[in-house]
Amino acid sequence: MKLLLPFLLLSLVFYSNAQEPVRLIIDEKVGLPSNEVYAIEEDSQGFVWLATNKGLIRYDGAIFKSYDHPQQRGLSIFEPFVDEQDRVWCMNISGQVFYAKDDQFELVADLKDELKGSLASIVANENYLIVSMFLKNIIIDLKTGKQHIEKLRRKDDENSVSYGLNKSYDKQFFQTLNAHIRIFKEGSFVKDRPLPKSLIPSKRRPRPIQLLKNNNGHFCILQQIPYLQTKFFVMKGQQWLDLKVPDSFHKVNIIMAQFIDDKLWCSTNKGLFVFSISEDSLILEATYLKGTFTTDFFQDNDRNIWVSTLRKGLVIMPNIYVKQLDLNGRLPKRLEKIENDELLIGFESGEVSLLNTQHQQQFLDMPTSSPVSSIMHDPENRRTFIFQKALNYLYTRENNRLTEIKEPLATVKDAALIHQDTMIAALATTLITTSINKDQFATKENYQLLKNKRGYAVLYDSVNKTKYFAAVDGLYYQKNGVDMQLLYYKGSPLFIRKLLLDQNGFVWACSFKNGIYKIDQQEVVKHLHTQNGLTSAVVNAIALDKNHLWIATENSLLRYDTVTGEIRSLGTNDGLPSYAIIDMAITEKYIYMNTAQEVFQLKKDKVFKPNIIPEYYFTEVLINGKEQQQQSVYTVPDQETSTVISFNANGLRGLTSSSFQYRIKDHTDWTVLPVGSNSVQFASLPVGSITFELQQKESNVTKHLYFKVQQVFYKTLWFWALMAGIIIGGIIFYYRRLLRFRESEKNKELRNLALDNELVSLRLENLRSQMNPHFIFNALNSIQEYIINNEKNLASSYLVKFSRLIRMYLEQSREHHIMLEVEIKALQLYLELEKVRFEEKLNYQLEVDPVLDIQKVMVPPLFIQPYVENALKHGLLHKKTNRRLHISFSWDKEHNRLIVSVEDNGVGRAKAAAIQAERSDYHRSFATYANTQRVELLNRKRENNIEVEIVDLTSSEGQPLGTRICISIPQA
């Protein structure tokens, strides 16, 4: 969008910018037992005590502990008071007075009849408890238990006023009554000094007087009729000064008042009011927690302001010198200090505001809503460049004029002037040099394009005439017109997001994740990292304030003294609201920083808290996951039992304001714990009596715990003696077993050798049975007969078959296993020759299962033929006609077995045996005996046995029909 006018004149209309200190909320959402808190106190150990509608509560900065008594009537507790012995006194509306000490909660007095449901003011010391209400003091001697009631009467000759609240200052008790301040001495109150004459008369029923002491030791009086009138007096010498109070102070209900430093703080129903005191009046300086009913407050040793509220729990202001600017929802992008110690803030919305020294904001009348990408102030020429993403403007504070720059630069990340008319700039895609002619940059064609790379920051060192450019691939420098060169440190380029030049001529380069580099004449002379002070190497932003370099890391805000090297830090417990800082700008009194959502103001000379060393103590000892009662010496059952030791330091920064280290005395060196850690865990401990030491490094205060660690059983002498016995016994047992095993193996080898010999013998027996004289004689007779009958072809064929069969038998006798195919061929030759013997009166059938792979299935050699021979010789030979022999080979897939069936329709085993017995030339069958023995021997070597079953076939009448032999041969 182009402006219709070359420039705009901006009106000087400012509005007050509301500022609130950063605060932490502790309420029911984070564990506070009740959001209704009536009063708050701190004891000398840093414990915070809360009087709530759910009783008395102690807070150590991490854990809430509630106190109650079995005789307590009701829950609500009021009027807490901490005495010199750190006893916390309190009462309830039923008139019961208690005190808490450590973990005890004691009922001291029951004053229900005296108080009759009224609340009272409590103070106490070692000897006395004083409970005061309207016109009555109840004084209890804590040594004897005696109770004295002092009735407070008005006198007509005195200025009659309501009594005042009991107060304790400098170990003395004070009370206002009628026209005097009274002091407690030796068991009773005596007059000390007169009260002002111009107090609010008692007939108007003012609230009880609050007697205060300021930092100079002067008494002050605060008196009020809520919402109508407030009076404040200061004693100077012997005179009371009646100070003027702001009108707004008359319109509130003041709950409690006290001095913090030199300011008067008051908790009211409308927030926390802070006043300074001039010669004759109270001046309202700040109002915190506006609109919140605040009931009580105190400042702890770490300068945190703790505020109790009636409905919102606890509010902690860790640092009243860190304040948040009210931006009305605008999102800040860039900050830049200009002349007169004023600040420009650029927003995502394209708006730009001017913050003056009175913390008032004026918004420039920006013509467009393009986000602000960068702001650069030129102090020499009293002008400021405002870069939006699409448009650029010149702003002069002197006449409050805003001028649009022609030929604008797009998405400027950073810019720096070399001369009044020359600028270097880091853009989103390039690094350039451009001229400036009044309100116009050079055209794009006339840019001096230095690098066609994404830029982040630029800087011009006018003393050394050196330009620096932070780009996506490293930090470049250019001097005397020479080409740009990459700057290296320890052989690596530097990846930089921000560049600054200090008053001594050093360049400070803030890297993305490798700390900060100090550069002198194109050389890195110092590298700030976690090893030398930074809390993190990831740095978000830096800013220079004379000799102080402010560093925003991912976990703290640091102030580094560039001369002495001293580093001070701020964290969230110091009031720092966020670590996600984008930009920083520094004025004379303040440092401003912005996140993506907020802008914060820090008062430079006040923001750092004093270094305190809080008291710390052990809170818990866990051994093997079980909490232990407090003991002088803790027993650990063995050295490998896990042990956890927890500790705490009270307060908001109790664990972060100092460093802790620990050791096992005489066993380990000191080990520093990470900041904020509150426990030490051991997976194992040294055996024996040991001392655990915990120390605050800054104070050298050391605390001890004592442990007796027993030896783990497997490292004791008796255990190793037992193990030695077991090992020796095991060795003896092993070698004895080994000897037995070797002897067994030797015997097994001998048995196998004997078995092999028997198998060879049996194979020869089979071979002999297959080549028995009857078979050979019959075969030769058949051949002779063919020759005599001049049947040469038949004789030749028969002779060939006979020789082949003999050769096969001889070859098989040398093998342990043969293919089923070979066995079947031998059977076919054998049956063909035997058929001649039976004069062609033999019908046989060989049947092979189609699924059977006869080339893979293995059988023992010379094994099946003897069973076929028996069928022929003993079954079919004695039958004259219809001789049938059926041999089948099938596969049992389920059991991985070859099933061989040899079935004949002969005379049967019984009749064959009878016939054999009648013959004079009876002899035992070699084949039957040899195969039976052979099966037994083969099965000794097999996991699955060869099985042979002989079945006698009979008719329904019991007549023999033949014999079936079933042979089951398992495959490996």
Side-chain angles (χ1 to χ4, degrees):
M1 171 181 169
K2 296 290 184 179
L3 296 179
L4 298 178
L5 297 175
F7 61 84
L8 296 174
L9 291 177
L10 304 178
S11 59
L12 293 174
V13 178
F14 289 87
Y15 71 90
S16 179
N17 185 272
Q19 299 179 50
E20 284 273 359
V22 174
R23 53 193 184 230
L24 307 175
I25 307 297
I26 299 178
D27 56 15
E28 293 173 354
K29 296 177 182 177
V30 295
L32 181 65
S34 173
N35 283 346
E36 192 169 320
V37 185
Y38 306 129
I40 184 170
E41 289 284 339
E42 183 188 31
D43 66 19
S44 65
Q45 300 178 67
F47 288 107
V48 177
W49 297 85
L50 312 175
T52 76
N53 67 329
K54 291 187 178 179
L56 182 67
I57 297 166
R58 188 185 77 180
Y59 181 51
D60 64 6
I63 299 171
F64 297 97
K65 177 179 175 60
S66 296
Y67 289 78
D68 61 7
H69 193 277
Q71 298 178 32
Q72 182 177 340
R73 296 188 293 270
L75 291 176
S76 296
I77 289 293
F78 304 90
E79 303 297 325
F81 174 80
V82 181
D83 69 13
E84 298 172 10
Q85 297 174 294
D86 261 352
R87 293 178 297 185
V88 181
W89 296 83
C90 59
M91 69 177 298
N92 59 21
I93 205 165
S94 298
Q96 292 176 302
V97 180
F98 308 88
Y99 76 77
K101 177 70 172 175
D102 298 326
D103 292 331
Q104 304 300 315
F105 193 53
E106 302 291 341
L107 175 60
V108 178
D110 192 342
L111 306 175
K112 63 178 180 180
D113 296 330
E114 291 81 0
L115 299 180
K116 301 183 186 305
S118 297
L119 287 175
S121 174
I122 297 176
V123 289
N125 59 21
E126 184 179 0
N127 300 312
Y128 294 98
L129 167 66
I130 305 170
V131 182
S132 301
M133 60 171 293
F134 182 62
L135 297 180
K136 185 185 294 185
N137 280 334
I138 303 170
I139 302 172
I140 301 174
D141 189 323
L142 296 175
K143 301 290 187 182
T144 65
K146 290 183 179 180
Q147 177 177 307
H148 169 67
I149 298 178
E150 177 191 9
K151 293 184 178 180
L152 311 177
R153 297 181 180 274
R154 296 186 181 92
K155 294 183 180 181
D156 294 336
D157 60 342
E158 291 184 321
N159 184 15
S160 180
V161 298
S162 299
Y163 81 101
L165 300 176
N166 294 331
K167 292 290 184 176
S168 176
Y169 296 112
D170 305 321
K171 300 182 180 180
Q172 292 182 309
F173 298 151
F174 296 91
Q175 184 185 69
T176 59
L177 179 68
N178 297 328
H180 287 84
I181 296 174
R182 307 200 306 166
I183 187 170
F184 188 76
K185 292 182 178 180
E186 298 179 356
S188 63
F189 281 101
V190 297
K191 292 181 181 179
D192 180 62
R193 66 194 71 191
L195 289 170
K197 298 295 184 181
S198 57
L199 288 169
I200 301 173
S202 60
K203 63 183 179 181
R204 295 187 62 193
R205 298 184 179 277
R207 285 282 178 85
I209 291 172
Q210 293 198 44
L211 181 66
L212 310 173
K213 254 192 177 182
N214 64 20
N215 287 1
N216 297 321
H218 298 149
F219 278 114
C220 301
I221 293 290
L222 179 63
Q223 191 185 30
Q224 182 195 38
I225 301 175
Y227 311 110
L228 292 176
Q229 184 179 6
T230 301
K231 303 206 73 174
F232 187 80
F233 301 87
V234 177
M235 177 169 272
K236 294 287 183 72
Q238 298 299 317
Q239 300 295 320
W240 287 101
L241 299 180
D242 187 354
L243 302 186
K244 296 177 183 178
V245 300
D247 290 341
S248 58
F249 206 30
H250 294 296
K251 300 174 183 179
V252 296
N253 180 10
I254 302 170
I255 310 302
M256 200 277 285
Q258 64 173 297
F259 281 90
I260 296 179
D261 297 330
D262 58 346
K263 301 291 191 295
L264 174 67
W265 291 61
C266 299
S267 60
T268 77
N269 65 314
K270 292 186 178 180
L272 202 59
F273 286 53
V274 182
F275 299 92
S276 61
I277 299 176
S278 68
E279 289 296 324
D280 61 352
S281 60
L282 283 180
I283 301 171
L284 181 62
E285 289 207 346
T287 303
Y288 303 135
L289 310 178
K290 289 183 179 179
T292 300
F293 197 124
T294 57
T295 56
D296 201 357
F297 61 93
F298 70 86
Q299 184 181 51
D300 65 17
N301 291 332
D302 201 21
R303 304 188 67 81
N304 302 300
I305 305 294
W306 297 69
V307 185
S308 59
T309 72
L310 194 61
R311 296 287 182 269
K312 297 181 179 179
L314 292 181
V315 178
I316 304 173
M317 295 186 288
N319 201 324
I320 61 173
Y321 302 108
V322 179
K323 297 182 179 180
Q324 179 177 327
L325 273 62
D326 183 4
L327 303 178
N328 291 319
R330 297 178 179 89
L331 303 179
K333 292 278 287 183
R334 288 290 179 266
L335 306 175
E336 183 77 0
K337 176 196 169 185
I338 62 173
E339 61 257 36
N340 304 322
D341 216 32
E342 295 178 323
L343 184 77
L344 283 182
I345 306 174
F347 294 94
E348 180 73 27
S349 61
E351 296 172 284
V352 177
S353 71
L354 175 70
L355 185 71
N356 66 18
T357 53
Q358 286 75 44
H359 311 305
Q360 296 173 319
Q361 280 199 80
Q362 167 205 353
F363 275 87
L364 309 187
D365 190 9
M366 300 297 293
T368 60
S369 58
S370 178
V372 175
S373 62
S374 185
I375 302 174
M376 185 198 69
H377 181 60
D378 176 12
E380 291 184 7
N381 298 290
R382 299 175 64 83
R383 58 182 178 172
T384 303
F385 293 84
I386 300 174
F387 299 98
Q388 290 182 329
K389 281 193 175 182
L391 296 173
N392 308 156
Y393 301 91
L394 266 177
Y395 172 66
T396 52
R397 180 70 180 95
E398 185 177 7
N399 55 15
N400 214 45
R401 186 173 71 177
L402 186 70
T403 306
E404 181 181 357
I405 299 175
K406 300 179 181 65
E407 302 296 337
L409 306 177
T411 315
V412 176
K413 299 291 185 180
D414 195 18
L417 289 172
I418 300 176
H419 305 292
Q420 179 179 352
D421 57 356
T422 308
M423 175 187 291
I424 56 175
L427 310 185
T429 56
T430 56
L431 301 171
I432 65 165
T433 300
T434 181
S435 62
I436 310 167
N437 184 9
K438 294 184 179 180
D439 59 354
Q440 180 173 335
F441 289 131
T443 61
K444 196 169 184 178
E445 294 76 16
N446 294 321
Y447 288 167
Q448 182 184 354
L449 180 63
L450 303 175
K451 285 287 179 182
N452 196 16
K453 296 179 182 294
R454 181 181 182 86
Y456 295 109
V458 294
L459 181 129
Y460 179 61
D461 179 357
S462 59
V463 175
N464 296 300
K465 309 299 181 185
T466 306
K467 306 170 191 173
Y468 290 90
F469 302 86
V472 68
D473 60 341
L475 178 63
Y476 291 87
Y477 68 91
Q478 185 181 45
K479 188 172 184 178
N480 300 326
V482 179
D483 289 343
M484 295 172 64
Q485 299 181 54
L486 268 176
L487 196 153
Y488 290 89
Y489 178 65
K490 293 184 177 180
S492 299
L494 310 182
F495 299 101
I496 304 302
R497 73 192 320 165
K498 182 74 173 177
L499 293 164
L500 294 176
L501 184 69
D502 69 16
Q503 59 189 8
N504 299 310
F506 296 110
V507 175
W508 295 89
C510 157
S511 73
F512 285 91
K513 59 179 183 179
N514 203 30
I516 295 173
Y517 300 94
K518 179 182 178 181
I519 300 172
D520 183 21
Q521 299 188 33
Q522 303 90 54
E523 289 188 8
V524 175
V525 295
K526 190 175 186 62
H527 182 202
L528 292 180
H529 206 272
T530 52
Q531 287 83 2
N532 54 11
L534 294 191
T535 55
S536 171
V538 178
V539 181
N540 297 325
I542 56 174
L544 273 168
D545 180 27
K546 299 178 181 176
N547 287 332
H548 286 150
L549 177 67
W550 291 80
I551 306 167
T553 75
E554 64 176 349
N555 57 18
S556 65
L557 176 66
L558 306 176
R559 190 187 70 184
Y560 173 71
D561 191 312
T562 59
V563 176
T564 66
E566 179 192 18
I567 294 180
R568 300 197 67 180
S569 66
L570 290 172
T572 52
N573 287 341
D574 300 298
L576 192 68
S578 173
Y579 299 128
I581 297 169
I582 297 173
D583 200 5
M584 294 192 290
I586 299 177
T587 63
E588 183 180 355
K589 293 182 178 180
Y590 300 100
I591 176 170
Y592 293 88
M593 58 188 62
N594 73 285
T595 67
Q597 289 82 31
E598 307 289 351
V599 174
F600 301 97
Q601 176 200 76
L602 286 68
K603 196 169 185 179
K604 292 188 297 184
D605 61 339
K606 298 283 188 180
V607 71
F608 287 102
K609 297 183 179 183
N611 289 325
I612 64 163
I613 302 173
E615 180 70 16
Y616 69 101
Y617 51 93
F618 294 110
T619 58
E620 187 179 58
V621 175
L622 296 178
I623 297 177
N624 204 20
K626 295 180 180 179
E627 184 177 356
Q628 306 296 306
Q629 296 294 327
Q630 187 174 354
Q631 303 169 34
S632 57
V633 179
Y634 295 89
T635 300
V636 181
D638 65 64
Q639 67 190 94
E640 293 190 357
T641 298
S642 67
T643 304
V644 180
I645 301 168
S646 299
F647 60 95
N648 190 37
N650 295 335
L652 201 60
R653 290 199 308 156
L655 294 172
T656 58
S657 61
S658 60
S659 300
F660 290 88
Q661 59 185 7
Y662 69 91
R663 71 175 180 178
I664 303 297
K665 189 176 180 181
D666 301 327
H667 288 85
T668 65
D669 295 328
W670 288 104
T671 300
V672 179
L673 287 167
V675 174
S677 295
N678 68 339
S679 66
V680 179
Q681 183 168 353
F682 295 98
S684 63
L685 289 170
V687 175
S689 296
I690 63 171
T691 302
F692 170 80
E693 294 185 336
L694 182 67
Q695 183 183 91
Q696 285 175 317
K697 291 181 64 177
E698 291 78 2
S699 69
N700 292 324
V701 175
T702 304
K703 293 188 181 292
H704 307 81
L705 285 177
Y706 302 96
F707 294 86
K708 184 177 181 181
V709 184
Q710 298 174 350
Q711 180 74 273
V712 66
F713 75 92
Y714 57 78
K715 292 187 179 181
T716 57
L717 183 61
W718 65 264
F719 175 81
W720 283 108
L722 176 63
M723 289 301 296
I726 292 173
I727 292 171
I728 292 170
I731 292 172
I732 294 172
F733 174 78
Y734 170 76
Y735 278 104
R736 290 186 64 181
R737 185 178 177 84
L738 181 62
L739 290 172
R740 285 198 300 268
F741 174 75
R742 288 179 176 175
E743 186 177 352
S744 173
E745 286 294 306
K746 183 177 179 181
N747 292 334
K748 187 176 179 180
E749 288 179 7
L750 292 173
R751 286 196 300 270
N752 286 337
L753 183 59
L755 184 62
D756 289 341
N757 290 335
E758 287 188 57
L759 286 173
V760 170
S761 176
L762 288 171
R763 282 201 296 270
L764 292 175
E765 291 284 345
N766 276 354
L767 181 60
R768 191 178 70 173
S769 72
Q770 290 164 341
M771 299 175 65
N772 65 74
H774 293 284
F775 172 70
I776 296 173
F777 180 75
N778 291 336
L780 292 176
N781 279 341
S782 298
I783 294 170
Q784 183 181 14
E785 186 178 348
Y786 289 143
I787 293 171
I788 292 171
N789 295 330
N790 200 25
E791 294 177 349
K792 296 180 183 179
N793 291 336
L794 288 176
S796 175
S797 174
Y798 195 93
L799 183 60
V800 169
K801 289 178 182 179
F802 178 72
S803 63
R804 284 175 58 195
L805 181 61
I806 298 301
R807 186 172 63 251
M808 290 178 72
Y809 284 162
L810 292 173
E811 289 175 352
Q812 289 180 27
S813 66
R814 294 194 299 267
E815 303 292 337
H816 290 284
H817 291 87
I818 62 171
M819 292 188 298
L820 179 60
E821 180 184 33
V822 176
E823 182 75 4
I824 292 173
K825 288 181 179 179
L827 282 176
Q828 285 176 331
L829 286 173
Y830 172 72
L831 288 172
E832 288 177 8
L833 294 174
E834 284 286 27
K835 189 173 182 178
V836 174
R837 177 184 172 191
F838 281 84
E839 299 177 353
E840 300 296 331
K841 294 179 181 180
L842 173 66
N843 294 319
Y844 67 88
Q845 183 181 5
L846 278 173
E847 183 178 353
V848 180
D849 190 342
V851 301
L852 194 60
D853 190 343
I854 59 177
Q855 291 184 340
K856 290 185 177 180
V857 175
M858 307 300 288
V859 296
L862 311 175
F863 188 73
I864 299 174
Q865 186 272 341
Y867 295 103
V868 175
E869 178 189 349
N870 276 346
L872 295 174
K873 184 177 179 180
H874 301 290
L876 297 177
L877 183 63
H878 304 296
K879 192 173 182 179
K880 302 303 181 182
T881 59
N882 193 25
R883 298 182 178 119
R884 292 194 307 274
L885 177 66
H886 183 267
I887 304 170
S888 67
F889 298 88
S890 60
W891 179 250
D892 182 355
K893 186 177 181 180
E894 181 179 356
H895 299 98
N896 197 35
R897 284 174 173 265
L898 171 66
I899 306 299
V900 181
S901 174
V902 180
E903 183 179 330
D904 65 72
N905 65 341
V907 297
R909 286 194 299 165
K911 188 173 182 179
I915 294 171
Q916 289 290 107
E918 293 174 358
R919 292 178 57 180
S920 59
D921 59 346
Y922 169 75
H923 68 278
R924 185 178 178 186
S925 171
F926 286 119
T928 302
Y929 168 76
N931 254 27
T932 301
Q933 290 297 107
R934 192 175 176 200
V935 167
E936 291 180 5
L937 292 173
L938 286 172
N939 284 342
R940 291 181 192 176
K941 287 189 168 185
R942 284 178 171 266
E943 213 174 296
N944 298 312
N945 291 342
I946 297 174
E947 297 175 358
V948 178
E949 181 184 10
I950 303 174
V951 180
D952 293 317
L953 305 176
T954 59
S955 66
S956 57
E957 290 83 11
Q959 295 298 318
L961 297 179
T963 306
R964 180 188 304 128
I965 301 173
C966 290
I967 306 168
S968 175
I969 305 173
Q971 298 297 299

